[in-house]
Amino acid sequence: MTRNKLYSGTSNYVASAELQEIVYVAITLERPLLVRGEPGTGKTLLATSIAESLALPIITWFIKSTSKAQEGLYTYDTVQRLNDSRFGDGDIRDIRRYIKLGPLGRAFQNEKQTVVLIDEIDKADLEFPNDLLNELDVMEFEILETGDLIKAKQRPIVIITSNAEKELPDAFLRRCIFHYITFPTAELMSKIIAVHHPKVSEKLIAQCLNKFYWLREQTEISKLPSTSELIDWIAALVKGGVDLKVIETEFPFLGTLLKKENDFLQIKKTNRPSWHKKSS
């Protein structure tokens, strides 16, 4: 279905046709792209891939529970100004010395179009997305302390990731293009693995995929293994020199895939013939 040639993934990031299409739509309509999906499906790496593909700089804003929207625009270092006034360091009358642009502010000032990643937006409080509505719409803001207007020289490409930890406001969602990255099929996963492990035999990859997807089917597991954990598991198997026959009936280095004690113990108790049957 992909008709555009604007973005088609990169050598180290395999993008589905559907993902390529939605990136094209977001860039063409000049709307932020809100991306959701399971951990490990490549949400964060998407922005890096877009920047690499289009040869654009990237600025990343990692959101924390204490993050405020204002910090993405600029901060005013009142503490430094107070210290300078006390110790006589510098001209405190020049307020601009104490203004520091945030990720969006720097992207607005950049002469070249910039990719801005707002990573895990739902970690912040509920007002955070709404506080960015106007700036993401008009692509400008005023520094209140100086009256300076910071206007985007090139409209940035904004990628926003969310782990669906909380609902985002409707007003914010209306201004975004949305995409849910579904967990890769075995076929797509094999292409992803080939990027990271190009020299690993097809038989080993096929066996690992069988075991991996069997593991994800187990309803008693509370934290399903992700793509990154599969890639690490294959690396561990290769470096450990584990024989293919062992992988058929065992789960070597299971702690690479499962990160919770109950999940680990549950799979360890599973009878081995069922593993062999599922993966054969």
Side-chain angles (χ1 to χ4, degrees):
M1 180 182 174
T2 302
R3 296 177 297 275
N4 73 86
K5 298 296 182 182
L6 182 61
Y7 171 74
S8 56
T10 50
S11 60
N12 57 357
Y13 188 94
V14 179
S16 66
E18 187 180 14
L19 180 55
Q20 294 176 40
E21 286 284 348
I22 207 67
V23 168
Y24 171 79
V25 170
I27 294 175
T28 302
L29 298 183
E30 298 184 332
R31 292 285 190 178
L33 175 59
L34 174 62
V35 183
R36 280 183 171 168
E38 278 188 42
T41 49
K43 300 186 298 296
T44 298
L45 292 176
L46 172 62
T48 303
S49 175
I50 293 172
E52 180 184 340
S53 174
L54 304 181
L56 298 177
I58 181 172
I59 296 176
T60 301
W61 184 10
F62 295 109
I63 305 303
K64 303 176 182 178
S65 59
T66 56
S67 296
K68 301 298 179 184
Q70 175 68 33
E71 298 167 357
L73 307 178
Y74 74 94
T75 55
Y76 171 38
D77 195 342
T78 55
V79 174
Q80 184 62 52
R81 191 180 184 209
L82 177 62
N83 287 337
D84 287 352
S85 69
R86 291 175 60 193
F87 301 110
D89 296 334
D91 184 4
I92 63 170
R93 294 173 298 176
D94 184 7
I95 295 179
R96 290 181 178 84
R97 294 183 61 224
Y98 306 97
I99 301 295
K100 182 178 180 180
L101 293 178
L104 282 174
R106 297 197 303 275
F108 287 5
Q109 287 282 274
N110 204 335
E111 297 288 346
K112 189 172 184 179
Q113 187 178 36
T114 303
V115 175
V116 176
L117 169 62
I118 304 177
D119 198 30
E120 298 190 342
I121 192 171
D122 45 359
K123 279 189 175 180
D125 62 41
L126 290 174
E127 292 305 314
F128 183 95
N130 282 336
D131 291 342
L132 286 177
L133 286 180
N134 183 64
E135 287 74 18
L136 289 176
D137 263 350
V138 301
M139 288 291 165
E140 66 180 36
F141 63 91
E142 181 183 358
I143 298 178
L144 299 179
E145 290 77 8
T146 64
D148 293 342
L149 181 66
I150 305 298
K151 189 171 184 177
K153 296 178 180 178
Q154 295 283 343
R155 192 177 185 95
I157 298 170
V158 180
I159 308 298
I160 304 170
T161 70
S162 165
N163 284 328
E165 293 179 1
K166 63 181 66 146
E167 286 298 320
L168 298 173
D170 288 345
F172 178 80
L173 294 175
R174 283 196 298 271
R175 289 165 170 81
C176 296
I177 302 298
F178 174 78
H179 183 69
Y180 182 85
I181 299 182
T182 56
F183 198 82
T185 62
E187 181 182 1
L188 180 59
M189 186 67 83
S190 65
K191 295 178 181 178
I192 294 172
I193 292 172
V195 169
H196 296 273
H197 298 297
K199 296 182 180 179
V200 175
S201 72
E202 292 184 4
K203 287 185 177 180
L204 177 61
I205 290 177
Q207 186 64 58
C208 289
L209 285 175
N210 285 336
K211 305 294 292 211
F212 176 75
Y213 281 98
W214 176 88
L215 199 59
R216 284 182 56 85
E217 290 174 2
Q218 306 314 298
T219 56
E220 65 270 23
I221 293 180
S222 59
K223 183 188 179 304
L224 298 177
S226 68
T227 303
S228 60
E229 287 157 340
L230 172 59
I231 291 169
D232 288 345
W233 185 47
I234 294 174
L237 293 173
V238 172
K239 291 182 180 180
V242 179
D243 189 86
L244 188 61
K245 292 182 179 179
V246 175
I247 304 173
E248 289 181 357
T249 55
E250 302 286 343
F251 261 115
F253 313 127
L254 183 58
T256 313
L257 292 168
L258 300 180
K259 306 300 174 62
K260 291 195 174 184
E261 181 180 357
N262 288 341
D263 295 344
F264 186 90
L265 295 176
Q266 183 65 43
I267 295 303
K268 278 291 187 181
K269 290 189 298 184
T270 304
N271 83 34
R272 295 174 184 177
S274 70
W275 299 351
H276 178 73
K277 183 179 180 181
K278 186 67 181 178
S279 61
S280 59

